[in-house]
């Protein structure tokens, strides 16, 4: 592939093994309109930290401005998908487990601030907004959704009943500061996840938390190239080590790092991040 030799991992290393090669889209991968040209893509694995990179020449620049919602949910599908996912039984819902975990950890973490303290929450890449809707319903915490797609933002306001901002987070100004920023299955979609986490640090109050979920490539690779963790919209798929390195290189300390298989069968890594006291 062109440029493969110039590729650098988030750990700084540049020696990789090719784990998977795709000459056509794997079954189940969302059919984005990439224009003409052959489909060719490789998953490379870093020999140092076990991180996975998806390498291809397909132009994905405009993906999240609207094509992503169109391809993923259809042009009028957000409301229907929101209703369908909200209706999932507790045992089948990734969001139930996610809300439980976040509520439990965050409540304990901020216990010293008193019972009246309600952390201000920003969810970056809110998409369908099921997570934030449920978190807000359960806790009453002031919640703001951020998404680059105007339909997702309108949906967050009208269906999920939370504040919402339409922006590309990497360009957004004046968002304010928050006590909890959540990035659920978001940083694997951007070319530079370290830059995204580092930017999030600028929107944190003192002593704030960041909650991050990413796809777990180490667990997924055992089930082969067809796993959704390796689909084209993920530039990065993480190992336990590379997730830690990514957070640390963004200026964070890592807490409660966990590996889990979700009710949807996704292989996931999740953790809470804080700024070290010397920096914040
Ligand atoms: Zn690496």
């Amino acid at each position: 592939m062109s440029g493969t030799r110039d590729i650098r991992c988030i750990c700084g290393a540049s020696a990789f093994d090719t784990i998977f090669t795709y000459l056509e889209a794997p079954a189940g991968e969302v059919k984005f309109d990439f224009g003409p040209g052959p489909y060719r893509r490789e998953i490379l694995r870093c020999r140092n930290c076990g991180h996975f990179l998806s390498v291809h020449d397909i132009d994905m620049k405009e993906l999240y401005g609207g094509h992503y919602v169109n391809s993923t949910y259809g042009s009028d599908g957000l409301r229907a998908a929101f209703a369908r996912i909200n209706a999932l039984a507790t045992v089948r819902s990734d969001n139930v487990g996610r809300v439980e975990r976040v509520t439990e950890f965050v409540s304990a973490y901020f216990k010293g601030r008193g019972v009246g303290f309600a952390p201000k929450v920003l969810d970056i890449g809110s998409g369908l907004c099921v997570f934030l809707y449920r978190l807000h319903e359960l806790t009453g915490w002031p919640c703001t959704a951020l998404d680059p797609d105007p339909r997702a933002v309108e949906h967050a306001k009208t269906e999920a009943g939370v504040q919402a901002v339409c922006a590309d987070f990497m360009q957004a100004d004046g968002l304010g500061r928050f006590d909890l920023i959540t990035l659920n299955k978001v940083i694997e979609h951007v070319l530079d996840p370290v830059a995204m986490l580092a930017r999030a640090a600028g929107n944190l109050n003192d002593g704030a938390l960041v909650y991050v979920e990413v796809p777990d490539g180490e667990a997924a690779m055992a089930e082969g190239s067809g796993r959704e963790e390796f689909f084209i919209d993920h530039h990065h798929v993480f190992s336990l080590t590379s997730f830690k390195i990514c957070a640390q290189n963004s200026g964070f300390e890592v807490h409660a790092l966990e590996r889990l298989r979700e009710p949807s069968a996704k292989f996931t890594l999740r953790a809470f991040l804080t700024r070290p006291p010397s920096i914040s």
Side-chain angles (χ1 to χ4, degrees):
M1 309 217 72
S2 65
T4 300
R5 281 181 210 89
D6 304 328
I7 292 170
R8 198 163 282 276
C9 179
I10 53 177
C11 75
S14 52
F16 299 93
D17 294 309
T18 301
I19 301 288
F20 301 127
T21 300
Y22 303 85
L23 300 177
E24 59 182 354
E29 185 172 272
V30 174
K31 300 285 185 284
F32 298 113
D33 179 14
F34 295 120
Y39 185 106
R40 182 180 165 86
R41 191 162 67 83
E42 291 176 353
I43 298 288
L44 307 183
R45 186 166 199 206
C46 174
R47 290 185 185 164
N48 180 51
C49 74
H51 192 64
F52 302 83
L53 294 172
S54 173
V55 177
H56 58 77
D57 294 329
I58 300 165
D59 182 5
M60 298 175 71
K61 276 200 300 286
E62 299 300 323
L63 187 57
Y64 298 106
H67 299 303
Y68 188 75
V69 167
N70 282 347
S71 305
T72 310
Y73 305 116
S75 60
D76 191 33
L78 279 169
R79 181 199 291 250
F82 178 79
R84 177 171 54 76
I85 290 172
N86 249 329
L88 284 176
T90 302
V91 290
R92 295 180 51 213
S93 167
D94 293 353
N95 277 293
V96 168
R98 177 183 285 160
V99 168
E100 247 171 41
R101 180 67 186 132
V102 168
T103 307
E104 171 194 59
F105 190 96
V106 172
S107 300
Y109 181 82
F110 288 122
K111 208 171 171 186
R113 308 243 183 142
V115 283
F117 178 70
K120 272 182 74 182
V121 184
L122 174 68
D123 185 47
I124 298 172
S126 55
L128 269 185
C129 213
V130 174
F131 163 70
L132 208 56
Y133 167 75
R134 287 180 168 254
L135 184 71
H136 184 247
E137 288 282 294
L138 184 70
T139 63
W141 296 343
C143 291
T144 302
L146 183 143
D147 201 278
D149 189 287
R151 286 165 300 181
V153 169
E154 190 55 31
H155 165 84
K157 290 178 184 167
T158 57
E159 302 291 319
V162 297
Q163 302 283 316
V165 177
C166 188
D168 172 348
F169 178 66
M170 296 308 288
Q171 318 282 332
D173 285 323
L175 289 173
R177 290 178 184 270
F178 299 85
D179 303 299
L180 171 67
I181 292 181
T182 51
L183 294 129
N184 296 314
K185 312 279 165 50
V186 168
I187 65 170
E188 66 273 22
H189 294 263
V190 302
L191 286 170
D192 190 346
V194 171
M196 191 172 213
L197 287 181
R199 189 176 173 92
N203 293 102
L204 294 176
N205 283 324
D206 285 349
L209 282 172
V210 177
Y211 174 73
V212 186
E213 285 184 9
V214 295
D216 174 359
E218 283 171 320
M221 74 177 284
E223 294 200 1
S225 62
R227 282 295 317 169
E228 63 180 287
E229 287 77 9
F230 299 110
F231 283 178
I232 192 166
D233 44 328
H234 297 167
H235 294 294
H236 299 268
V237 191
F238 291 79
S239 68
L240 276 169
T241 301
S242 75
F243 187 27
K244 248 184 271 179
I245 290 171
C246 179
Q248 286 164 351
N249 287 355
S250 314
F252 287 98
E253 288 176 352
V254 181
H255 308 271
L257 172 56
E258 291 177 303
R259 156 173 278 162
L260 69 154
R261 189 154 207 196
E262 301 192 70
S264 66
K266 287 188 174 83
F267 292 102
T268 295
L269 301 173
R270 64 186 184 185
F272 292 88
L273 315 181
T274 57
R275 299 284 279 168
S278 57
I279 299 175
S280 61

